[in-house]
Amino acid sequence: MTMLNRRDWGARAPRGAYTTLTRTRGVKVHYTGDHVDPGLVNDHARCVAVIKGIQNYHMDNNGWIDIGYSMMVCPHRTVFQGRGPGHLPAANGAGLNSDHYAVLGLVGTSGLTRPPNDMLLGVLDAIDYLREHGGAGQEIKGHRDGYSTDCPGEPLYAWVRAGAPRPPSGTR
Ligand SMILES: [Zn+2]
Ligand SMILES: [Zn+2]
């Protein structure tokens, strides 16, 4: 696992103070809800650009203080720090953020839709990190649980529903 802190990936500073979150019931898993260029599987620099674009969209279009996710995961088992542990996310839907941290898997509605095994391992790394550093509980759910959305898409949601099993490493 590679962990990128905000300075590492060139995150913009949040526009305001985070709301503190000391413990949650668990984590909700998300996808981008958009096209994801499958070429990024062979070019990690593109992953960084996509994550920066999502932060820009959340701050400039949604008017949020920061990217909405707690952590983000690309196909290279790289975990990006978003709002991070101990901070209220904004991605789960109004009223649903204090119960679960929000972790993004970098797949979408077209292009890259199926999470490679290394991405699933990265999501599990992010969940372990949020449990250790942010009091995340045992639940692993999808954005669509309790909120009307297709997120996190069928392939990622099927994995969540199966109990988020740990895939073999080093395979795609
Ligand atoms: Zn979502
Ligand atoms: Zn990557």
Side-chain angles (χ1 to χ4, degrees):
M1 193 245 308
T2 302
M3 174 83 67
L4 295 184
N5 66 35
R6 296 174 64 94
R7 193 181 316 113
D8 292 333
W9 65 268
R12 289 162 64 183
R15 259 202 302 264
Y18 297 123
T19 300
T20 300
L21 194 57
T22 53
R23 54 180 298 280
T24 69
R25 287 160 57 183
V27 170
K28 282 187 173 173
V29 175
H30 297 257
Y31 76 163
T32 67
D34 208 343
H35 178 80
V36 173
D37 178 2
L40 57 74
V41 169
N42 297 310
D43 185 1
H44 177 67
R46 292 199 215 179
C47 302
V48 179
V50 171
I51 296 293
K52 289 166 78 106
I54 293 169
Q55 186 191 28
N56 287 337
Y57 189 85
H58 285 180
M59 294 179 75
D60 300 337
N61 293 71
N62 295 3
W64 297 347
I65 59 168
D66 189 12
I67 194 166
Y69 305 111
S70 306
M71 311 193 86
M72 300 75 75
V73 182
C74 79
H76 307 101
R77 201 175 176 176
T78 297
V79 179
F80 294 70
Q81 286 268 4
R83 296 193 182 201
H87 301 143
L88 187 76
N92 294 332
L96 297 171
N97 288 301
S98 59
D99 281 343
H100 297 87
Y101 288 111
V103 173
L104 172 74
L106 201 50
V107 289
T109 51
S110 62
L112 185 64
T113 58
R114 298 198 152 271
N117 283 349
D118 278 354
M119 182 184 294
L120 298 179
L121 287 165
V123 170
L124 292 172
D125 293 334
I127 291 169
D128 286 346
Y129 185 88
L130 289 164
R131 285 175 177 165
E132 185 175 349
H133 298 279
Q138 291 302 305
E139 286 187 359
I140 302 176
K141 297 201 164 200
H143 187 183
R144 68 173 68 176
D145 293 315
Y147 188 83
S148 179
T149 174
D150 289 334
C151 184
E154 290 305 329
L156 200 46
Y157 190 60
W159 176 73
V160 167
R161 285 294 300 256
R166 181 168 293 272
S169 60
T171 54
R172 298 250 167 100

